[in-house]
Amino acid sequence: PTFVICLLVMYRCVSSVIVPFLAFGLFILRKLDVFKSITYNLDCAAVGTGILSNSEDFTSFRDGIVFVSAGDLGNLFKHGVDRVERGKIFAIDLHTLQGLGMEDPKELPLVNFPEGRRFQPHGLYYSNQSNNLYAVSHPYQGEGSFVEIFKVRTDPSLALEHVDSIRPTGSMNGVINDVVEGPSASEIFVSKWLWYSKPLGGDHGSRTFEEKLNEVKESLGKMLIPADVLLRCSRRASNTTSTSTSTWECVEATAMKAKMYNGLAISTDRTKLFAVDTAGKLVRIFRIIGSDDERGSLLSWQGDIRVPHSLDNIDYEDASGDLIAGSIPVGWKALRMKDAPNTLTPGGLLRLSKKPQREGGDSGEVDYEVREDLIMDGTDLSMTSTAIAWGDKVMLGSPYSRGIAICRRATG
């Protein structure tokens, strides 16, 4: 009897450790989409692989012209600036789409860009209201990351004239991700997607023990702990004409944190801000309340849209009011690309459509229909970060793969 009792006690002790451990492991595997079954759209083709180092974000300009950020982010994050291509902004004319091909993207000249500062663009946003193009950039020169502001010039040809720079207070290297203009050009919102500064020599370069420890803490923490913030940067009212970075002040825009804030979008009337939480698999909705030069806009959380898998960048489609997002259906493959860049990582376009408000119902703020327009298998473009729909075609971009992908989506 004593032996049996000892066995039972040992069983209880071991099971009390193993069962929670297995449950946590299953939770992580589900978060990383290990068990997900996917049907792929294979009607795609790669375009611009000899020109674009990557295509992390798209933003619509006008008349079917789309701006593309190419900051060679995969190499930048891995190796620092030593092995990267010079960052560029390209323009793509969607009218030239023929079948699954198109004219080559056109590089846009940067006029009056600060001498000596590198430009490695990440998130992009074009404002029809101010004619400003905003670009998050990671120079990897020890000063942290910037939001660079350009005026879009069309005469005699498309060009970007640099007019201002914003370096969020305490900005660390690589930690900011995306940007949108607020109710006016004197205010922007910026997402932070990392807890710790990226090492200047890259994740694969020489790192201190603290930097290695920070990577481990962040990788595990993002599965469990909402700690990322949104920033609101406002131009000081006392000096609205200066182009100095000191004219901007950045503070946390809301107490509502996320596991990984990523892509941002704003409604056409500038009353709603949409923020992707990549690790949380949701889109957070905020109402923008008021705006003045002293305090700036306030964000009121309205609710979350749950999505079937992780998203990256997101855009507000003016014509339909839909949200268009670049999707990451298989999370573990996306993570593997950091060390194995040849991993074929699926991606696609997820569409979020607002449902009509039911009479007598609630406000319907988070009542959205979530629809997968397409998912490709990664053969033509590995990992998707951004997407745009144009007729029966979808254009996809990637933070790591060269070029873009043009896909024909199913109708009906």
Side-chain angles (χ1 to χ4, degrees), residues 166-186:
I166 304 171
R167 185 168 69 88
T169 305
S171 175
M172 295 183 291
N173 192 52
V175 301
I176 58 176
N177 186 299
D178 203 11
V179 57
V180 293
E181 187 179 85
S184 73
S186 63

Side-chain angles (χ1 to χ4, degrees), residues 235-406:
R235 194 196 298 268
R236 293 178 184 172
S238 58
N239 187 3
T240 58
T241 60
S242 170
T243 59
S244 168
T245 57
S246 64
T247 62
W248 291 84
E249 290 183 335
C250 301
V251 298
E252 289 189 17
T254 173
M256 184 68 66
K257 295 183 178 359
K259 293 176 182 176
M260 185 191 288
Y261 275 127
N262 198 324
L264 300 177
I266 194 165
S267 60
T268 306
D269 61 7
R270 308 290 178 101
T271 63
K272 289 182 182 177
L273 178 72
F274 304 89
V276 167
D277 180 351
T278 299
K281 296 185 180 180
L282 57 86
V283 178
R284 189 148 282 166
I285 305 175
F286 297 94
R287 183 173 295 281
I288 302 173
I289 303 174
S291 179
D292 60 63
D293 291 331
E294 295 300 325
R295 188 176 60 177
S297 299
L298 301 176
L299 295 182
S300 173
W301 177 61
Q302 300 295 294
D304 297 332
I305 309 170
R306 298 286 172 177
V307 291
H309 42 248
S310 296
L311 305 179
D312 195 323
N313 288 308
I314 191 168
D315 288 289
Y316 187 89
E317 194 174 68
D318 290 337
S320 65
D322 290 352
L323 296 168
I324 306 294
S327 63
I328 308 170
V330 186
W332 70 270
K333 288 192 174 183
L335 289 177
R336 192 165 182 266
M337 284 195 72
K338 179 178 178 181
D339 297 308
N342 294 325
T343 303
L344 293 183
T345 303
L349 184 153
L350 198 74
R351 180 180 293 269
L352 290 71
S353 303
K354 181 75 178 293
K355 292 181 181 179
Q357 184 176 340
R358 296 186 298 273
E359 186 176 352
D362 58 23
S363 63
E365 290 286 346
V366 294
D367 198 7
Y368 279 75
E369 177 187 2
V370 179
R371 185 172 75 250
E372 202 85 58
D373 271 24
L374 67 85
I375 301 178
M376 65 169 185
D377 65 356
T379 300
D380 297 292
L381 187 85
S382 191
M383 188 171 172
T384 297
S385 57
T386 187
I388 192 167
W390 181 260
D392 67 340
K393 307 292 196 311
V394 169
M395 186 169 74
L396 303 174
S398 169
Y400 299 130
S401 296
R402 299 191 66 88
I404 58 176
I406 306 295

Side-chain angles (χ1 to χ4, degrees), residues 54-66:
N54 74 318
S55 47
E56 203 281 334
D57 201 6
F58 301 153
T59 186
S60 295
F61 174 50
R62 58 182 68 151
D63 302 326
I65 303 295
V66 174

